[in-house]
Amino acid sequence: MNVSELSEKLGGRILTGEGSRERQICGIYCCDLLSWVMSHAAKGSAWITVHNHVNIVAVAALSELSCIIMPEGIEAEEATLKKAAAEDVAIISTDLSAYDVCCIAHDNGI
Amino acid sequence: MADGLMKLHYEIPADDLTYAGEASSSVKKVLVQLGINPVQIKKAAVSMYEAEINAVIHGHGGAADIEIGNGRIFICIEDKGPGIPDLELAMQEGWSTASDEVREMGFGAGMGLPNIKRYADKLDIETETGKGTKVMITVMYPNT
């Protein structure tokens, strides 16, 4: 499943990352400790985090994650959107909880 | 590049997490352009990012100097911060002196130095209380 398809399943909105909508999602990783994410998240994972500051873009890009998912209607800061656009990192915003995102991803074969 | 090495230099701003990671992101792009293996790129990029963040958070900023060539990526991040009084303790996962504000942003979990050690093929740290810290990371890559 790619970023665009997952966003649709989550009833989400892709806030940025026009060029990375086709990127394949290999798994889900949910964590808010940035170093922990860089240490443990597998390449190609979709990363669920409540952080919305600009540093999450660097973490996603350096760790080669497929996209960032912001649950519970969290909106990205303006600086985050600009940085994500520059780095071509897709950010999905959804009203669902992290748990529901995981369940839907699992039900769809991720 | 007379010696066959590509050399890069970046200034690391103090106490401003907005631009933290710019140097690491830039180095990663250079490594991609050089066609270096993605595994080695990730090792270099993540370990450098952790060291860069440490320099911003703890070291009042500093500088990063990188040498690439002859199968070796060498990253030196030097700050003028307070130094690390007990390096053995700082290397332990979970130990951190980061502020609450930094922790609320998801940093300061006490995993920076352990992560660098995990991803670097070689890690040397020179630190002196009151003078600063120099983190030297080496990642080897197969010559093509």
Side-chain angles (χ1 to χ4, degrees):
Chain A
M1 179 176 289
N2 65 31
V3 170
S4 190
E5 290 163 343
L6 178 63
S7 178
E8 196 179 322
K9 298 281 183 194
L10 300 177
R13 290 182 298 128
I14 301 179
L15 305 180
T16 183
E18 286 296 324
S20 55
R21 293 178 180 219
E22 304 296 313
R23 205 168 282 162
Q24 288 297 307
I25 295 171
C26 309
I28 299 281
Y29 199 80
C30 184
C31 181
D32 293 317
L33 291 177
L34 305 186
S35 288
W36 194 276
V37 174
M38 285 194 291
S39 176
H40 293 85
K43 179 181 175 181
S45 298
W47 172 32
I48 306 173
T49 179
V50 298
H51 290 302
N52 61 355
H53 56 75
V54 68
N55 303 98
I56 61 172
V57 178
V59 171
L62 294 171
S63 303
E64 298 175 326
L65 306 178
S66 56
C67 66
I68 297 167
I69 301 174
M70 294 184 171
E72 320 237 5
I74 294 167
E75 294 288 342
E77 291 177 359
E78 194 58 38
T80 307
L81 293 175
K82 279 186 185 167
K83 181 74 177 170
E87 296 285 332
D88 202 19
V89 170
I91 299 178
I92 299 173
S93 176
T94 173
D95 290 333
L96 299 174
S97 68
Y99 175 76
D100 287 333
V101 170
C102 291
C103 290
I104 289 171
H106 179 266
D107 290 347
N108 284 277
I110 295 176
Chain B
M1 283 188 63
D3 51 6
L5 297 177
M6 175 181 275
K7 294 180 182 177
L8 306 166
H9 175 85
Y10 301 89
E11 295 296 321
I12 300 173
D15 307 316
D16 185 358
L17 279 163
T18 312
Y19 299 103
E22 293 283 331
S24 306
S25 297
S26 179
V27 168
K28 185 189 173 190
K29 282 171 192 159
V30 170
L31 296 175
V32 169
Q33 284 166 2
L34 290 173
I36 290 173
N37 185 301
V39 173
Q40 272 78 38
I41 292 177
K42 183 174 178 182
K43 286 171 70 168
V46 170
S47 54
M48 181 175 169
Y49 182 73
E50 292 283 17
E52 191 181 348
I53 292 292
N54 276 348
V56 174
I57 294 174
H58 303 289
H60 311 317
D65 286 283
I66 294 93
E67 291 179 2
I68 307 162
N70 303 327
R72 170 179 170 269
I73 304 159
F74 178 72
I75 299 157
C76 177
I77 296 197
E78 188 167 12
D79 69 49
K80 304 288 181 199
I84 305 170
D86 188 337
L87 189 55
E88 197 179 332
L89 192 59
M91 292 304 296
Q92 288 180 16
E93 205 165 285
W95 191 86
S96 175
T97 57
S99 66
D100 288 346
E101 187 186 0
V102 164
R103 286 172 197 259
E104 281 164 14
M105 292 177 74
F107 296 108
M111 289 189 65
L113 288 174
N115 261 2
I116 296 171
K117 193 176 177 186
R118 173 189 174 127
Y119 281 106
D121 291 322
K122 185 169 182 279
L123 170 63
D124 293 301
I125 299 174
E126 291 173 6
T127 184
E128 192 174 342
T129 307
K131 293 205 170 170
T133 299
K134 194 173 177 180
V135 177
M136 290 160 285
I137 297 160
T138 303
V139 173
M140 305 302 294
Y141 63 88
N143 266 319
T144 51

